[in-house]
Amino acid sequence: MSAPDQAQEFREAMSRLASGVSLVTTRSLAGVPHGMLATAVTSVSAAPPMLLVCINRSATLLADLLEREAFCVNFLGAHHQDLAGRFFSAEGRAQRFQTGPWTELATGVPVLGDSLAALDCRLDRAVEAGTHSVLFGRVEAIRLSPPGEVQPMIHYLRQYRRLECPEAQPGEAAS
């Protein structure tokens, strides 16, 4: 199998892995906000709290993120489909941060106020792997939405999907 065929088959295989959709945000040192959608986000450690996110090295926000050494991972809900469309499309670039409840936490980068959760991070290290940079972030601050109020956005087979969640009962732990 040729390398282009294998790359296409790999992308097709990965489309079958359901993933949460996150909005990674940062701010340039000049104060310009940047953001991009990501599905390659995972926890690394609870003590200290750390996560990783994979970003293509051609992404326009990467240089500013590396220079600022801070980013926020905002977990999107199903109600963010229009917002996700703005961040996915190059045409909507100028309008990305004009609507929505934007705020800041510890690092000063944009935080989406109505996301399921927001993890405000300082860059711990970046590792190059293939076409991407793997960024490890130390979590400096966390913002959580109340449980059950927001349904998560899922990416599966190249489409956004909804995951219906049952109402959480007080004191009930997830299994």
Side-chain angles (χ1 to χ4, degrees), residues 13 16 26-27 32 44 50 57 65 67 78 82 121 125 147:
R16 287 161 168 75
T26 194
R27 188 180 306 280
V32 178
V44 173
M50 187 176 285
R57 287 198 306 273
L65 187 157
E67 186 176 42
D82 289 341
C121 301
R125 69 178 137 310

Side-chain angles (χ1 to χ4, degrees), residues 47-175:
M50 187 176 285
L51 58 79
L52 71 77
V53 61
C54 299
I55 297 179
N56 193 304
R57 287 198 306 273
S58 67
T60 56
L61 100 160
L62 186 59
D64 285 323
L65 187 157
L66 294 172
E67 186 176 42
R68 183 163 187 111
E69 297 185 343
F71 61 96
C72 185
V73 177
N74 301 274
F75 300 156
L76 297 186
H79 67 288
H80 290 120
Q81 192 145 356
D82 289 341
L83 179 75
R86 281 199 315 271
F87 279 88
F88 183 76
S89 164
E91 294 80 44
R93 190 174 305 267
Q95 290 79 35
R96 289 180 175 176
F97 291 94
Q98 290 182 354
T99 59
W102 295 103
T103 187
E104 295 177 2
L105 293 173
T107 68
V109 302
V111 173
L112 183 59
D114 65 347
S115 60
L116 278 77
L119 302 169
D120 193 24
C121 301
R122 295 265 179 223
L123 182 64
D124 186 74
R125 69 178 137 310
V127 178
E128 291 188 7
T131 58
H132 284 63
S133 290
V134 181
L135 308 176
F136 292 84
R138 291 181 322 277
V139 178
E140 299 285 321
I142 300 172
R143 194 211 51 75
L144 298 172
S145 67
E149 283 193 11
V150 180
Q151 301 303 316
M153 181 185 289
I154 303 296
H155 194 254
Y156 178 71
L157 290 175
R158 297 182 179 88
Q159 293 182 4
Y160 297 125
R161 314 267 181 174
R162 291 179 66 113
L163 176 65
E164 296 300 327
C165 298
E167 291 294 321
Q169 301 300 316
E172 188 176 53
S175 52

